[in-house]
Amino acid sequence: VRKGRDYQNSKVESSDEVELSRDAQLGIRDYAPGSQTVAAKSLWDSVGIYIPPSKSLEKNDWFECSGCGAFWETKNPFDSTCPVCMNAQNTKAGIPYVRPEFGFIGKKSTDKPGETRPSSIGFLQSFFSDFEGNAPAVQQVEVHGLTLEVRQSRQGRITVINRGREARGFLLCEVCGFCKPSPSVKELGKKRQNSSMAPTHLFMGVGPNDCKSRSMLKHVSLGHYYLTDAVEISFPGHLLVQENAQSVLASLLAATPSLGIGQREMNGSIRPISGGNSIILFDTVPGGAGYATLAAAKLEELFDEAVEVSRRCPDCGLDSSCYGCLRTYQNQRHHENLERRLALDVFNKFPG
């Protein structure tokens, strides 16, 4: 496998003749250390993150606010004040993410491929960071008698993070790239888990030379960011609040096929703003493919279908949701809070 810098694709480096390449945001899930993949009729273990000589991995600190739901990245890990609600008590530091821009290290497994596809390590969470450059102008768009504020840009910055199994993260040697899923309390033992000493490793065992580093393994997440087409939809007053925002977002995303947009081609996020929340719809393709722009041009049609999605599901009650209506793999973090009734309550407040 050729070693090299590739910002939009993740690669797997191995000592055998095999090359694997995938979109970077999928790569941090499918090639995450501890995962397995099938190639050339063999099973391959992901055992590390490739770090070229004299290079280092980009690392970023980030926070979430449990009060308003805001996400932000910072260069100062000690500044935990939420930029939206200005509260420092509700903020929670995420596990700093490294960007595996040079690819991953693969090793041929002694196991044989099975009948089913190997499971991935962790799952992806997408966050809207901000619009790069100048803030896009606000447009007033009327949808069934309700005036929405809409902003569009081709410079929406999306941050995708994989926090590993049960959000425990990964343990990384920043010298050689050895990396493994962070063990659970049961695997590590409560005493070891609560210790201030991070576990160390002596030998990597995947390259031409064993790692001689005695450095502590760093606790990290895997991350990637990109710019793409994005549209921000702001509702008047306090119509969109933390309790119903995810359900409204899920219904809009479920309605995108009515516009000819595949559900994998678009994703979304909630953006806390002063006095409420806004919805961000964005293309999942770096650089954008025009899907968010299309959605902005056909907002009324999109909302009409979202209402139908929330009303018509025959497989679940109004006070819940299922994979036939609001639930997807991408929003699994919010499944327990997704309710069709919450989305309908918002749509029913449209005058027209």
Side-chain angles (χ1 to χ4, degrees), residues 53-281:
S54 72
K55 298 286 185 180
S56 61
L57 297 176
E58 178 184 347
K59 183 186 288 187
N60 294 287
D61 292 289
W62 58 282
F63 289 88
E64 280 187 287
C65 178
S66 60
C68 70
F71 164 88
W72 71 98
E73 299 181 54
T74 177
K75 297 299 183 183
N76 181 5
F78 301 103
D79 182 11
S80 59
T81 301
C82 176
V84 178
C85 66
M86 305 305 294
N87 193 324
Q89 295 181 347
N90 294 328
T91 58
K92 179 181 179 181
I95 304 170
Y97 75 82
V98 294
R99 192 181 184 201
E101 56 193 293
F102 308 107
F104 295 87
I105 300 172
K107 182 179 181 182
K108 197 170 185 178
S109 176
T110 55
D111 299 330
K112 300 296 182 183
E115 296 295 326
T116 60
R117 180 180 178 179
S119 60
S120 302
I121 300 295
F123 63 93
L124 302 180
Q125 293 176 251
S126 295
F127 301 93
F128 175 80
S129 297
D130 207 343
F131 294 111
E132 294 282 303
N134 296 326
V138 175
Q139 297 178 313
Q140 305 287 332
V141 179
E142 187 172 301
V143 176
H144 292 303
L146 189 72
T147 301
L148 306 176
E149 292 188 347
V150 178
R151 297 197 296 170
Q152 300 178 60
S153 174
R154 299 200 65 184
Q155 298 291 303
R157 174 168 162 144
I158 309 301
T159 301
V160 186
I161 296 176
N162 180 359
R163 293 192 284 184
R165 286 198 182 112
E166 301 175 4
R168 296 195 305 264
F170 301 85
L171 297 178
L172 169 70
C173 173
E174 295 180 311
V175 176
C176 70
F178 168 85
C179 191
K180 65 179 181 178
S182 184
S184 65
V185 173
K186 182 178 179 180
E187 293 169 326
L188 191 59
K190 291 185 178 180
K191 183 176 180 180
R192 181 76 175 276
Q193 180 76 0
N194 295 328
S195 172
S196 60
M197 293 295 293
T200 60
H201 74 287
L202 297 179
F203 304 101
M204 185 172 180
V206 297
N209 299 303
D210 291 328
C211 178
K212 304 301 183 183
S213 170
R214 296 298 191 272
S215 300
M216 291 191 298
L217 303 182
K218 302 297 184 181
H219 194 202
V220 300
S221 299
L222 305 180
H224 174 65
Y225 53 81
Y226 62 97
L227 299 179
T228 192
D229 290 350
V231 56
E232 180 176 17
I233 307 169
S234 299
F235 292 69
H238 296 277
L239 188 57
L240 196 70
V241 295
Q242 196 168 4
E243 289 73 19
N244 60 32
Q246 289 294 339
S247 296
V248 174
L249 170 62
S251 66
L252 290 172
L253 290 173
T256 55
S258 68
L259 304 182
I261 302 171
Q263 286 191 302
R264 293 186 177 182
E265 309 300 332
M266 179 173 281
N267 204 343
S269 181
I270 300 300
R271 185 186 196 188
I273 56 177
S274 178
N277 296 272
S278 64
I279 282 178
I280 307 289
L281 302 177

